[in-house]
């Protein structure tokens, strides 16, 4: 059975220029997206159960591909639920729901979980992310048992960062999933 990828966006979902959206368009057979009822008013007790609902419906092995507050959604999900379908998580630019003054309206995402994730994971962070200091991102990675990758000055690693389809991110994801993204499919790396 082929692997799948489930995008877990953050606040406002991911617009048309965001790498998550671009990857979904490039690989429509293997990428899907969590659908939250309200992308503009994040409530943990709504976002986490919605993620669980979609994970329950997955057809097979899946890597979570989270961005920003989506990373915190995954971390909270892993505290409350489990699934043998989840084989890993790429956690990009985790938003610091505890210390970022820009996130004072999110509900229930604090305290940020500190328990290790029960699957392989990589945290990717930037040195000039307005939603989390690089040291905090490293702490999240350490707490979650994740590999940590600092990609330098890339802002919030989103559409504003001008990454387009973000080839470096694809390489990191391929390493994590042990799969090569080719056309609309993923093939296992020998």
């Amino acid at each position: 059975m082929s692997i799948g990828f489930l995008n877990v966006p953050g606040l406002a979902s991911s617009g048309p220029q965001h790498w998550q959206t671009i990857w979904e368009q490039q690989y429509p057979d293997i990428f899907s997206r969590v659908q939250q009822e309200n992308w503009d008013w994040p409530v943990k007790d709504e976002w986490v159960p919605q993620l669980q609902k979609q994970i329950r419906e997955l057809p097979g092995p899946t890597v979570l591909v989270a961005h920003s507050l989506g990373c915190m959604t995954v971390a909270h999900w892993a505290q409350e639920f489990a699934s043998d379908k989840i084989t890993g998580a790429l956690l990009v630019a985790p938003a610091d729901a505890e210390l970022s003054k820009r996130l004072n309206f999110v509900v229930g995402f604090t305290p940020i979980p500190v328990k290790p994730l029960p699957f392989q994971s990589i945290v990717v962070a930037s040195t000039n992310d307005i939603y989390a200091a690089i040291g905090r991102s490293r702490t999240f990675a350490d707490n979650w048992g994740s590999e940590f990758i600092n990609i330098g000055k890339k802002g919030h690693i989103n559409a504003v960062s001008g990454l387009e389809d973000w080839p470096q991110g694809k390489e990191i994801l391929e390493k994590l999933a042990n799969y090569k993204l080719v056309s609309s499919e993923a093939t296992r790396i020998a």
Side-chain angles (χ1 to χ4, degrees):
M1 177 175 280
S2 181
I3 195 162
F5 301 90
L6 180 61
N7 278 336
V8 185
L11 180 65
S13 192
S14 295
Q17 303 303 312
H18 195 287
W19 54 267
Q20 281 183 313
T21 304
I22 293 170
W23 292 359
E24 287 171 22
Q25 292 166 347
Q26 290 175 337
Y27 310 102
D29 296 340
I30 55 173
F31 272 84
S32 60
R33 177 184 299 231
V34 169
Q35 297 300 323
Q36 297 294 352
E37 189 170 316
N38 189 339
W39 286 109
D40 299 320
W41 191 262
V43 177
K44 179 192 88 78
D45 290 342
E46 294 172 5
W47 281 32
V48 171
Q50 181 60 27
L51 175 58
Q52 169 61 8
K53 178 180 181 284
Q54 287 188 241
I55 287 174
R56 261 196 332 263
E57 297 168 359
L58 292 171
T62 301
V63 173
L64 301 174
V65 181
H67 179 257
S68 190
L69 204 55
C71 300
M72 295 306 158
T73 303
V74 168
H76 281 285
W77 173 84
Q79 301 292 299
E80 297 178 37
F81 300 99
S83 172
D84 58 2
K85 293 178 184 173
I86 302 306
T87 61
L90 178 62
L91 305 166
V92 180
D96 191 344
E98 289 175 344
L99 298 183
S100 176
K101 291 179 175 40
R102 298 172 189 271
L103 297 172
N104 61 354
F105 59 93
V106 302
V107 178
F109 286 88
T110 59
I112 294 170
V114 296
K115 203 166 114 184
L117 300 175
F119 39 76
Q120 186 179 5
S121 58
I122 297 174
V123 169
V124 179
S126 163
T127 56
N128 62 338
D129 188 341
I130 61 172
Y131 291 102
I134 193 73
R136 285 287 286 171
S137 294
R138 181 178 290 281
T139 297
F140 301 148
D142 290 344
N143 289 341
W144 299 336
S146 306
E147 180 181 341
F148 179 74
I149 299 176
N150 175 346
I151 62 167
K153 291 185 176 184
K154 299 291 184 193
H156 193 46
I157 316 176
N158 57 6
V160 176
S161 300
L163 301 172
E164 298 178 2
D165 77 340
W166 193 31
Q168 180 186 16
K170 284 183 183 176
E171 290 174 12
I172 296 167
L173 181 60
E174 288 173 341
K175 174 186 165 194
L176 173 68
N178 197 31
Y179 275 78
K180 180 76 175 158
L181 296 171
V182 184
S183 65
S184 66
E185 298 178 355
T187 54
R188 186 171 264 313
I189 297 172

